[in-house]
């Protein structure tokens, strides 16, 4: 695969990869860094990316591996000085159009924050599957390929994660 083909990968799978990177990371800056590192690694490994062997799953796998390495390398640092997302700063005054709009937005943001917190509390194996399925929009077969586990294991982890999230969120 040539450099121009990697540009094609950016066009075809860039949005899905970016969403997946945002779901893995804690800040938008980290998501952007992970996104760029993933495509840099894809350029480096361009001969391994075969168009008929699901390049989207390969890109997600690269991103997963880079993030896992990053987390293990900097885990101690993050325990000492955790990063706080700029999204948690609240509603800007200029965004306030009407009281009901603001209230609806605050409720929606609170529900999303609760869901994100619940996802972050999942065991790592379940968290990976949830993020690959929803954020990266990968089918079960591709998730199995990315994580190098059987499809049945992916389905099981996905089911367990959904059940745990339903329980924690109080949704049945």
């Amino acid at each position: 695969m040539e450099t121009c083909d990697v540009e094609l990968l950016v066009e075809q799978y860039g949005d899905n990869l970016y969403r997946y990177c945002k779901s893995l990371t804690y800040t938008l800056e980290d998501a952007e860094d992970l996104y760029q590192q993933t495509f840099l690694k894809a350029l480096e490994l361009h001969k391994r990316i075969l168009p008929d062997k699901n390049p989207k799953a390969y890109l997600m796998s690269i991103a997963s591996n880079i993030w896992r390495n990053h987390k293990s390398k900097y885990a101690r640092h993050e325990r000492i000085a955790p990063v706080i997302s700029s999204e948690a700063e609240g509603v800007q005054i200029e965004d306030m159009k009407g009281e009901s709009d603001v209230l609806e937005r605050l409720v929606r943001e609170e529900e999303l924050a609760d869901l994100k917190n619940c996802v972050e509390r999942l065991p790592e194996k379940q968290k990976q599957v949830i993020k690959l399925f929803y954020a990266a929009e990968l089918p079960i077969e591709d998730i199995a390929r990315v994580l190098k586990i059987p499809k049945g294991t992916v389905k099981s982890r996905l089911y367990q994660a959904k059940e745990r999230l339903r329980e924690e969120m109080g949704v049945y």
Side-chain angles (χ1 to χ4, degrees):
M1 185 166 270
E2 299 299 320
T3 305
C4 62
D5 293 340
V6 174
E7 290 174 11
L8 184 63
L9 290 176
V10 172
E11 289 176 26
Q12 288 179 333
Y13 309 115
D15 290 342
N16 285 338
L17 179 64
Y18 186 68
R19 265 194 311 278
Y20 179 58
C21 290
K22 280 179 25 181
S23 77
L24 288 176
T25 62
Y26 305 109
T27 65
L28 291 177
E29 293 82 15
D30 285 343
E32 290 167 3
D33 287 346
L34 178 59
Y35 179 81
Q36 291 173 0
Q37 289 173 11
T38 300
F39 278 113
L40 287 174
K41 192 67 165 176
L43 271 172
E44 187 180 311
L45 303 172
H46 70 277
K47 292 185 190 266
R48 290 188 186 174
I49 303 173
L50 304 173
D52 58 332
K53 295 289 184 183
N54 197 344
K56 181 180 176 183
Y58 194 73
L59 288 172
M60 301 301 167
S61 179
I62 291 172
S64 294
N65 291 335
I66 291 171
W67 184 247
R68 187 177 15 219
N69 291 341
H70 172 78
K71 274 180 60 177
S72 64
K73 186 176 180 183
Y74 294 103
R76 182 171 183 263
H77 171 72
E78 291 202 16
R79 278 194 304 268
I80 295 169
V83 178
I84 299 172
S85 172
S86 62
E87 294 172 7
E89 292 177 1
V91 178
Q92 300 295 321
I93 292 174
E94 63 267 12
D95 291 342
M96 294 184 181
K97 293 182 182 170
E99 200 170 302
S100 64
D101 292 344
V102 172
L103 185 58
E104 288 174 19
R105 180 175 168 202
L106 286 173
V107 168
R108 193 169 42 251
E109 286 178 359
E110 188 176 321
E111 288 172 347
L112 285 173
D114 288 346
L115 178 61
K116 185 176 181 178
N117 288 334
C118 288
V119 168
E120 290 305 317
R121 287 193 301 267
L122 287 173
E124 191 63 34
K125 291 178 179 184
Q126 291 176 1
K127 189 185 331 180
Q128 277 183 321
V129 172
I130 282 285
K131 289 180 176 183
L132 285 168
F133 189 76
Y134 288 105
E137 298 177 358
L138 285 179
I140 289 171
E141 297 80 22
D142 293 346
I143 295 171
R145 204 172 298 128
V146 167
L147 298 177
K148 297 178 178 93
I149 57 175
K151 286 190 295 187
T153 304
V154 172
K155 290 177 184 178
S156 172
R157 288 180 186 174
L158 190 58
Y159 176 79
Q160 291 167 352
K162 286 179 182 180
E163 286 300 306
R164 191 165 178 173
L165 290 172
R166 281 187 193 106
E167 217 174 87
E168 286 196 38
M169 297 290 293
V171 179
Y172 292 99

